Amino acid sequence: MSRSTARPQVPLTELIPPHVTVLVPWVAEPTDTDVARLQAAVSSIQPFELSFPTAGQFPNGTAWLKPEPFDQVRALLHAVIDAFPECPPYGGEFPDPHPHLTISSSDRGGPDVVAEANAALAVTPAPTTRLTELGLWREDAAGVWAQIGAVPVGK
């Protein structure tokens, strides 16, 4: 079970559900104008089928699942990033982020987690879901994330 490096006693899924980060940090206190700007940024991207068929690992050890179709997911990220130049991804640390769904934090990841995930995916393919909206999330003082809204993808 993956855990937060900031709160190792708490499983990640108790802090935030599985997700693909689009842009963090985003606007601290989003206004209606910010939400409208986000909606405009994704209005030309039509909903699409999304799956996570393979696992990989970042150099720091974080294990992840790769979203497919990868190029469509990356285009969605860049549409949002381009619409909010005042919010560089990961505070500017990763200006061209790699879309992913984290399955194990850096201190608990490693090749074994990736191998186990890929073996499981070879036996039982990942389910497919339809991406129809972007969730808007906020982290509270205890480090727990909650959804505060959503923006539909497409028109």
Side-chain angles (χ1 to χ4, degrees):
M1 182 174 302
S2 190
R3 297 180 183 274
S4 164
T5 53
R7 298 188 52 206
Q9 73 282 9
V10 181
L12 281 178
T13 53
E14 288 185 24
L15 299 176
I16 187 168
H19 66 282
V20 174
T21 299
V22 173
L23 180 59
V24 69
W26 189 49
V27 179
E29 295 297 328
T31 64
D32 290 344
T33 301
D34 296 319
V35 174
R37 188 164 50 144
L38 177 61
Q39 174 62 59
V42 298
S43 66
S44 65
I45 299 170
Q46 294 306 307
F48 57 91
E49 299 301 311
L50 180 64
S51 188
F52 298 88
T54 58
Q57 182 179 3
F58 290 125
N60 73 356
T62 299
W64 44 263
L65 297 177
K66 181 179 179 183
E68 292 291 351
F70 187 79
D71 290 341
Q72 278 187 272
V73 175
R74 178 168 254 167
L76 181 124
L77 265 67
H78 281 282
V80 174
I81 291 167
D82 291 348
F84 291 90
E86 72 277 19
C87 301
Y90 300 97
E93 186 177 355
F94 302 105
D96 186 20
H98 182 280
H100 65 281
L101 188 155
T102 300
I103 57 172
S104 183
S105 59
S106 59
D107 65 335
R108 300 183 189 273
D112 291 344
V113 171
V114 174
E116 182 180 337
N118 280 323
L121 289 164
V123 172
T124 306
T128 299
T129 188
R130 187 151 179 84
L131 178 74
T132 60
E133 66 182 21
L134 298 182
L136 306 177
W137 292 77
R138 281 285 166 248
E139 184 179 21
D140 68 16
V144 177
W145 289 78
Q147 189 168 359
I148 61 167
V151 171
V153 173
K155 296 181 181 190

